[in-house]
Amino acid sequence: MTRLALLSVSDKTGLVAFARQLVETFNFSIISSGGTAEALKAAGIPVTKVSDYTGSPEILGGRVKTLHPRIHGGILARRDIPQDLTDLEANQIQPIDLVVVNLYPFEQTIAQPGVSLADAVEQIDIGGPAMLRASAKNFAHVTVLCNPAQYDEYLTELRQGDGQVSFEFRRACALAGFSHTAKYDAAIATYLAAQSATREPIAAESTSEHPASIALTGRLLQPLRYGENPHQPAAWYQTGESPRGWAAATQIQGKELSYNNLVDLEAARQIVAEFDDAPGAPAAAVIIKHTNPCGVALGNTLLEAYTKAYAADSTSAFGGIVALNQPIDGETAAALTQTFLECVVAPGCDAAAAEILAAKSKVRVLTLPDLHTGPAQTVRAIAGGLLLQASDDLPIDISQWKVATEKAPTDDQWAELRFAWAVCKHVKSNAIVVTNHRTTLGIGAGQMNRVGSVKLALEQAGDRARGAILASDGFFPFDDSVRQAAAAGIVAIAQPGGSLRDAESIQAANELGLAMIFTGVRHFLH
């Protein structure tokens, strides 16, 4: 009796060539359903339709095809259990040695604009996951393939094993199958949770805002040399079927990206995304070191923006990560090569710029056309659990800001305050940012008290603080920071407000002739 293979795939990449090898070289018989059977038949490959094999027609518009004892009995039968073999014989069921299944394109469907819930539901595969799980469970006797990339490996196993497949290969394929169905189910659960976000909770422990359970899945994109330090193994995983974000970036040149590179690149992307990239908008340049900005600036040209950002803290810029909101041109590329940089990312890079940057072959240069779209949520692991929060992507709306002092900012100071606030939200708390002429002059990051951050930022700014403005990610609990800022020459301050001692800070600002606005929004970054 020939061996039996069941082929039922949505993605038909490589299917015909694979099936031909199974039949002509390894003497398999094939049963198949729906479009897979039609594709094989059109290619001249002998195939038996599942409905003919089971004696049961496809029903419910194709919703029920392979859910039949002759299919699942053939998959799940244990060849070393006599009763299982007796059951097969009594029910005229042939053992199935190979199951080749991939699933309806659910994630690709929901990624399309305007897809209805009904359309999405019809792309929830039932028979496919059932066959995948059944064959993966019985990997001691059955091989399951869920990805066209596995076809050549399987054929190689057959050739090297004189028509047999090793236990280790079957087990590895089973793991791939279970991982595939887990990821598939997670995508469905995530989609339905988002669709149900406005409805009342069904489970007592869930809320309309937070589902009772979450599923996080990813596909290995590439191993990384190590994590934050050489003793920490690390890897990069892609979420979703289609590459998005950094998985969709193009690396033009340079060494392989590291864990720290990717973390810093994301921090740089988040800041540059604060600034408009529409035609006619100012150019923006961001230089990151250890996830904190060391220089951020706007300019009439990309070269001007980068030059200003670099001059803001040229010492820290050494070995930094640069993000630009406009395609790299030749002049900017020449400036970038004047110092050692780890990475540069921009929406594009023209040919002249690429040629210039090639002189610094080790610097990683990436293009990412969409620098604005980031994750909707952030996830952090803690002992025994996960923390999930919405990303801090609240748009800056200065129409909601309140002038707290007798003195109001000038029009130019309003624009400067907005720039400083956009940078401040991406600096580790306690965060203080001093800017002027849309350029950072001093940044105090990650200090244990706000006074310490103010001191660092003002010391870094030095004499440049005169006439500048200051932004704080949290309120001032005392008036000491206001007085310190005024003594250094600061003329306007942006802070959230909300302290029990706000009146003291306002009084100090009025006394010293400063303008102070309350944003009403806090931007702690831990």
Side-chain angles (χ1 to χ4, degrees):
M1 182 183 293
T2 60
R3 286 178 292 180
L4 189 60
L6 190 157
L7 278 58
S8 180
V9 295
S10 175
D11 179 0
K12 296 177 176 56
T13 303
L15 172 70
V16 170
F18 177 62
R20 197 180 303 281
Q21 284 284 309
L22 291 178
V23 172
E24 296 178 359
T25 305
F26 299 104
N27 199 32
F28 274 87
S29 294
I30 294 176
I31 58 175
S32 194
S33 63
T36 305
E38 293 177 6
L40 296 177
K41 185 177 179 181
I45 297 172
V47 57
T48 301
K49 293 187 69 172
V50 164
S51 56
D52 294 333
Y53 177 76
T54 62
S56 297
E58 295 183 6
I59 62 173
L60 308 182
R63 279 190 166 196
V64 178
K65 297 190 284 283
T66 57
L67 298 171
H68 193 280
R70 291 203 79 192
I71 297 298
H72 286 273
I75 293 173
L76 284 164
R78 293 158 292 186
R79 316 302 162 78
D80 55 354
I81 304 294
Q83 184 58 52
D84 284 9
L85 299 179
T86 300
D87 287 343
L88 292 184
E89 185 176 358
N91 291 279
Q92 297 181 312
I93 298 173
Q94 182 177 344
I96 296 174
D97 290 324
L98 172 66
V99 175
V100 182
V101 176
N102 53 60
L103 308 178
Y104 293 170
F106 179 82
E107 287 189 88
Q108 294 92 324
T109 298
I110 62 173
Q112 298 170 7
V115 172
S116 68
L117 177 61
D119 289 338
V121 166
E122 286 308 309
Q123 292 302 317
I124 297 176
D125 203 331
I126 302 300
M131 290 188 290
L132 272 177
R133 290 177 59 81
S135 48
K137 175 178 179 175
N138 202 25
F139 69 85
H141 306 284
V142 179
T143 304
V144 57
L145 307 178
C146 60
N147 190 321
Q150 297 171 306
Y151 296 169
D152 285 343
E153 294 179 71
Y154 178 73
L155 294 173
T156 299
E157 280 278 320
L158 290 176
R159 292 188 191 98
Q160 295 178 347
D162 193 23
Q164 301 301 313
V165 176
S166 68
F167 175 84
E168 290 75 17
F169 182 80
R170 294 196 303 273
R171 182 171 56 188
C173 290
L175 173 58
F178 281 124
S179 298
H180 189 47
T181 55
K183 179 174 177 290
Y184 192 77
D185 287 341
I188 296 168
T190 301
Y191 171 77
L192 291 177
Q195 293 293 309
S196 306
T198 58
R199 297 179 62 87
E200 290 300 312
I202 297 173
E205 69 271 23
S206 69
T207 72
S208 59
E209 188 175 3
H210 304 295
S213 62
I214 58 171
L216 303 175
T217 64
R219 178 175 63 83
L220 180 63
L221 197 60
Q222 68 181 65
L224 301 172
R225 287 180 60 200
Y226 51 78
E228 288 178 300
N229 298 289
H231 60 274
Q232 295 173 267
W236 179 9
Y237 288 81
Q238 173 187 314
T239 56
E241 272 305 305
S242 302
R244 293 173 296 175
W246 294 108
T250 300
Q251 186 169 348
I252 296 174
Q253 66 170 58
K255 298 183 291 185
E256 189 175 272
L257 290 168
S258 71
Y259 179 97
N260 289 336
N261 289 157
L262 288 161
V263 171
D264 283 336
L265 280 166
E266 176 60 11
R269 183 202 64 76
Q270 291 178 15
I271 299 179
V272 85
E274 295 285 350
F275 305 109
D276 192 359
D277 60 355
V286 175
I287 306 176
I288 287 285
K289 202 71 173 290
H290 305 305
T291 74
N292 277 308
C294 55
V296 182
L298 302 183
N300 293 319
T301 66
L302 197 61
L303 176 61
E304 180 187 3
Y306 172 72
T307 301
K308 290 167 65 178
Y310 177 78
D313 186 356
S314 58
T315 300
S316 298
F318 183 85
I321 308 289
V322 175
L324 308 167
N325 73 334
Q326 295 179 5
I328 308 170
D329 54 46
E331 289 185 321
T332 306
L336 290 166
T337 61
Q338 297 306 303
T339 191
F340 168 65
L341 299 171
E342 287 280 353
C343 304
V344 179
V345 63
C349 180
D350 68 30
E355 185 176 353
I356 293 168
L357 290 167
K360 294 279 188 174
S361 60
K362 291 184 179 180
V363 64
R364 304 160 179 88
V365 179
L366 298 93
T367 58
L368 180 59
D370 180 10
L371 288 163
H372 286 264
T373 303
Q377 293 138 340
T378 60
V379 182
R380 180 172 294 184
I382 60 172
L386 299 170
L387 299 178
L388 179 71
Q389 67 170 349
S391 294
D392 187 8
D393 54 6
L394 187 70
I396 296 174
D397 183 1
I398 65 172
S399 69
Q400 300 301 308
W401 292 3
K402 307 295 184 185
V403 178
T405 50
E406 296 168 357
K407 187 173 185 179
T410 65
D411 288 346
D412 187 66
Q413 286 171 350
W414 275 110
E416 194 70 48
L417 287 163
R418 189 203 182 286
F419 171 79
W421 189 246
V423 177
C424 193
K425 71 183 283 191
H426 299 285
V427 176
K428 290 293 181 70
S429 298
N430 288 308
I432 298 292
V433 174
V434 175
T435 78
N436 204 359
H437 307 299
R438 316 304 184 266
T439 306
T440 56
L441 305 176
I443 297 174
Q447 298 306 298
M448 286 63 73
N449 64 77
R450 197 155 299 278
V451 174
S453 289
V454 171
K455 181 180 179 183
L456 281 176
L458 292 174
E459 285 180 350
Q460 186 182 26
D463 291 340
R464 298 178 297 174
R466 301 208 166 273
I469 67 95
L470 180 147
S472 170
D473 68 340
F475 61 63
F476 294 130
F478 304 101
D479 67 358
D480 47 3
S481 293
V482 177
R483 296 186 180 279
Q484 193 175 4
I490 296 296
V491 296
I493 292 174
Q495 60 133 317
S499 169
L500 293 175
R501 295 175 177 266
D502 274 347
E504 295 179 17
S505 293
I506 294 169
Q507 180 180 343
N510 285 333
E511 173 191 325
L512 298 167
L514 274 66
M516 181 185 290
I517 62 98
F518 287 173
T519 67
V521 177
R522 188 186 76 184
H523 285 299
F524 281 175
L525 179 61
H526 281 74

